[in-house]
Amino acid sequence: MSVFVVNGGRRLSGEVEPQGSKNSALPILAATLLCRGECVLHNCPRLSDVEASLAILRYIGCTARREGSTVIVDTGSVERFEIPSELMHRMRSSIIFLGAMIARFDRVRMSFPGGCELGPRPIDLHLSALREMGVVICEEHGELDCYVSDELHGANITLPIPSVGATENIMIAAALANGTTVISNAAREPEIVDLADFLNSCGARIHGAGESSVVIEGVERLHPTIHAMIPDRIVTATMMSAAAVTGSDITMKGVIPSHLESVFPVFRDSGCEINIKGNTVRIGAPYRLRSPKLIRTMPYPGFPTDAQAPVMSMAAVADGMTVFVENMFLSRYSHVSELCRLGADIRVEGKVAVVDGVKKLLCADVRAQDLRGAAALVVAALCARGQSQISGIEYLERGYEDFELVLSSLGADVKKI
Ligand code: EPZ
């Protein structure tokens, strides 16, 4: 169980480059199963969730190796069509292998992915869409046993919720289905576009990714490719929160600013200066932050739910009151009780959290309970004078590569023990 020891109250300065996107890497690693041969994936972050995906690929017979930030996956000799529950439970988003395994083998057996710290993580939209594409799915004893009865074929699928994972599973399965699939009310996240770019570079025919309607014309086969992941927009938003709460001026390079269009206004409303030049974003924090007033999480291009926790740490020390409305997940406020141990004044009522900004946070020992909540606690500890200890850092390592090194390179006093 790794722990961060943070001596807060220090100003940060310098330049960082955000890691590759975790939420691009996970579906793209699964989608390599659609090709036979060696795919080269650049800007693939070193994360425990990525390792969990590589473990699944190796279990079914692929070889996968890492050379720095590049991962090379050879799917030429896969031979197993089942994923054991211990591998499925290591990472909630392993459901993303469902569409890929069906497209490759016409069958798959896997256990239901567990719920997670964010509450129940239903997969009903994934299953109903694949059934419409000709997949027979038996669900019993927590296991999914799926096979293609006649042929995997295209379908017109309307999602009641623009689910990221369901959109990805459908896109992946439809790439090799017989005929055309149209997804209406598709998720529009940049990671969906990145997945479509990867698949199209393998020979798929996907149009409209990033829009609400995506058309996938199935093809016979896909060939391996070389692909670089987009930068991680949530890690970038987290770094901006760290700069904001420490009164810092930092520069982030290799950013795609258009991915953060709903995030920049929150920092500007808080009194931060944001300068954008090409793929470089510079953030300068004011002496005292103003409260951003109201933050509602929404599907992309709305404010991202994954940035809610780190930005709440910023609101906790802003002047005034901020109301958060978490519309995407039932319980994504596990960081609130721990932020209050650090001196924050936050009350939660259902999906609403009311943050009354305080002048300063106080150091304390706190425990992370989910990925983005862990990031929020690190951000808050950077601002609290004195030494704070954060346990549960294994949650952080699911999505943040070498976070203590990144922060230390900017002058923070953060050690992992
Ligand atoms: C993806 O999760 C991300 N994970 C999440 O990031 C992110 O918070 C989420 O999208 C929303 O943006 C990855 O990309 C690996 P959804 P996903 O399906 O696909 C409901 C992080 O911190 N729903 O868009 O699981 C669901 O319960 C992680 O990096 C159904 O009801 O999210 C939720 O309320 C956390 N039935 C809403 O839709 C379904 O079949 C959005 O979920 C599927 C989803």
Side-chain angles (χ1 to χ4, degrees), residues 22-24 26-27 49 91-96 116 118-128 161-168 187 189 191 232-234 298-300 304-307 327-330 332 370-372 398-399:
K22 165 179 87 77
N23 292 348
S24 275
L26 300 182
D49 273 7
M91 173 182 71
R92 190 261 156 211
S93 41
S94 37
I95 189 64
I96 196 58
C116 75
L118 308 184
R121 300 292 292 277
I123 57 169
D124 54 310
L125 304 182
H126 301 241
L127 303 185
S128 54
I161 304 173
S163 155
V164 172
T167 302
E168 290 166 345
E189 273 70 0
E191 293 77 22
D232 194 307
R233 59 195 169 98
I234 305 301
M298 298 298 277
Y300 194 89
T305 173
D306 297 346
N327 293 308
M328 304 305 291
F329 289 105
L330 281 180
R332 197 164 200 175
D370 70 54
L371 163 57
R372 305 301 175 183
R398 288 187 42 210

Side-chain angles (χ1 to χ4, degrees), residues 11-51:
R11 187 158 295 187
L12 311 180
S13 65
E15 285 185 3
V16 282
E17 178 147 356
Q19 69 191 51
S21 165
K22 165 179 87 77
N23 292 348
S24 275
L26 300 182
I28 287 172
L29 282 166
T32 59
L33 282 172
L34 272 60
C35 322
R36 282 171 174 71
E38 204 169 73
C39 283
V40 178
L41 304 175
H42 296 304
N43 208 21
C44 189
R46 276 183 205 71
L47 304 167
S48 51
D49 273 7
V50 167
E51 284 310 310

